[in-house]
Amino acid sequence: MLLSRLKTLTSVAVLALASVTAHAADPIKAGFVYIGPTGDHGWTYSHDQGRKVLEEQSGGKVKTAFVESVQETADAERVFRDLAQKGNKVIFGTSFGYMNQMLKVAKAFPKTTFMHATGYKTAPNLGIYDVRTYEGAYMLGVVAGKMSKNNKVGYVASIPIPEVIRNINAFTVGARSVNPKITTNVIWINSWFDPGKEREAALAHIAQGADVLMQNTDSPAVVQTAQEKGAIGFGWDSDMSKFGGKAHLAASILNWGVIYNKVVADVEAGTWKNEPIWWGVKEGAVNIDNF
């Protein structure tokens, strides 16, 4: 009788240990919310490349999910809430306009870690992160200042928030550091991703005498237009040389993977702290490439 009970207890202990081991081996789930399509070859594309780096380098310890083309409206709240309910332990929102929606959902899910790109509002479980995109913009500006013959740069800008204005300023300061005669004209399209409007703005710049084009928008439409009309331009957020041909001078490339790896590792280890992350060239989060 005693031997039978011991065998039963042993079997129960083995099953319990197997269950704990299996649970411990479950991958941590991370969710991503994107403002545009993953195929935009710009901002969202670079974030999605970072997501893939996170998953690939984890060796199966991280499982990711994403929702693309989520507008900065009340509907974004539903998307963040759904990802939290599905058990994602970390959720990344990759656009400025998600800020208030993320703040609301973070309060409803205190055990989930939320990270908001480019924002400024925080909560105990809502942190902020960004890449120093102005460093890439400055370096591209230096190239533009060297290459422009008309001393006129046309800048296709998205939405007038501090992040975008900072990039325009950095680009212009970089250009004027090697060519003080440079002037930068800005056309706002009031959208992050609208290839048609991006092209129209690029054409308007060229018509006004700009021989170098720059953008803070998400598609390769600007560099494509430069190639078509005999101007020159740059890749923004990722390499766009396959779209720009000889017009493509260089690209500012973002590496979000280094940030995503750190955040998820810290959450998994229980060492995550709500401290702003703002990484640049020094940390390997941004650089220019493909001259």
Side-chain angles (χ1 to χ4, degrees):
M1 185 71 172
L2 179 61
L3 181 61
S4 176
R5 287 183 178 181
L6 286 173
K7 286 181 178 179
T8 300
L9 288 170
T10 300
S11 298
V12 170
V14 169
L15 289 171
L17 180 61
S19 177
V20 169
T21 302
H23 181 71
D26 288 343
I28 183 172
K29 296 173 70 175
F32 294 77
V33 180
Y34 300 145
I35 185 65
T38 56
D40 67 1
H41 296 284
W43 177 261
T44 294
Y45 173 83
S46 68
H47 278 285
D48 198 53
Q49 293 302 299
R51 177 190 66 82
K52 291 178 180 178
V53 166
L54 166 66
E55 197 166 73
E56 290 168 2
Q57 294 185 357
S58 75
K61 294 180 179 180
V62 180
K63 183 179 179 181
T64 67
F66 67 89
V67 184
E68 59 186 331
S69 299
V70 177
Q71 297 305 301
E72 298 164 316
T73 63
D75 190 54
E77 181 184 329
R78 175 191 60 79
V79 175
F80 286 108
R81 191 177 296 275
D82 182 61
L83 286 171
Q85 289 172 337
K86 288 179 177 178
N88 287 282
K89 198 170 182 180
V90 191
I91 298 174
F92 298 92
T94 65
S95 191
F96 180 82
Y98 295 151
M99 186 162 57
N100 292 329
Q101 297 93 320
M102 293 188 74
L103 186 64
K104 186 175 181 180
V105 177
K107 291 178 180 178
F109 294 89
K111 294 184 179 180
T112 302
T113 300
F114 293 83
M115 291 293 291
H116 180 214
T118 77
Y120 59 85
K121 291 183 180 180
T122 63
N125 62 325
L126 171 62
I128 54 178
Y129 70 104
D130 200 358
V131 166
R132 294 180 182 269
T133 50
Y134 68 88
E135 293 183 347
Y138 178 90
M139 291 187 286
L140 293 184
V142 173
V143 179
K146 287 282 190 181
M147 295 297 293
S148 177
K149 296 178 181 179
N150 297 346
N151 300 325
K152 293 182 179 181
V153 174
Y155 206 114
V156 179
S158 50
I159 297 173
I161 61 173
E163 167 199 349
V164 178
I165 295 169
R166 182 172 60 235
N167 289 334
I168 297 169
N169 290 343
F171 179 85
T172 304
V173 170
R176 289 179 178 170
S177 72
V178 295
N179 183 354
K181 295 180 181 180
I182 285 288
T183 60
T184 302
N185 187 45
V186 180
I187 296 177
W188 298 94
I189 67 165
N190 294 305
S191 175
W192 294 112
F193 178 75
D194 190 325
K197 287 185 178 180
E198 293 169 56
R199 173 178 166 78
E200 289 175 6
L203 289 171
H205 280 310
I206 293 171
Q208 294 168 16
D211 60 349
V212 179
L213 300 180
M214 179 60 180
Q215 74 275 1
N216 204 143
T217 49
D218 293 349
S219 87
V222 174
V223 74
Q224 285 176 316
T225 305
Q227 166 76 349
E228 178 186 334
K229 298 298 181 179
I232 49 181
F234 302 96
W236 183 245
D237 295 335
S238 72
D239 175 24
M240 295 179 176
S241 57
K242 66 181 180 181
F243 301 100
K246 293 180 180 180
H248 187 278
L249 293 178
S252 176
I253 297 176
L254 306 184
N255 177 19
W256 294 99
V258 293
I259 294 178
Y260 292 144
N261 278 332
K262 172 181 169 50
V263 171
V264 174
D266 287 349
V267 170
E268 188 175 22
T271 58
W272 180 82
K273 295 180 181 179
N274 193 345
E275 298 174 346
I277 298 174
W278 199 18
W279 285 2
V281 172
K282 183 175 70 173
E283 296 85 1
V286 61
N287 213 335
I288 60 171
D289 206 346
N290 297 306
F291 286 96

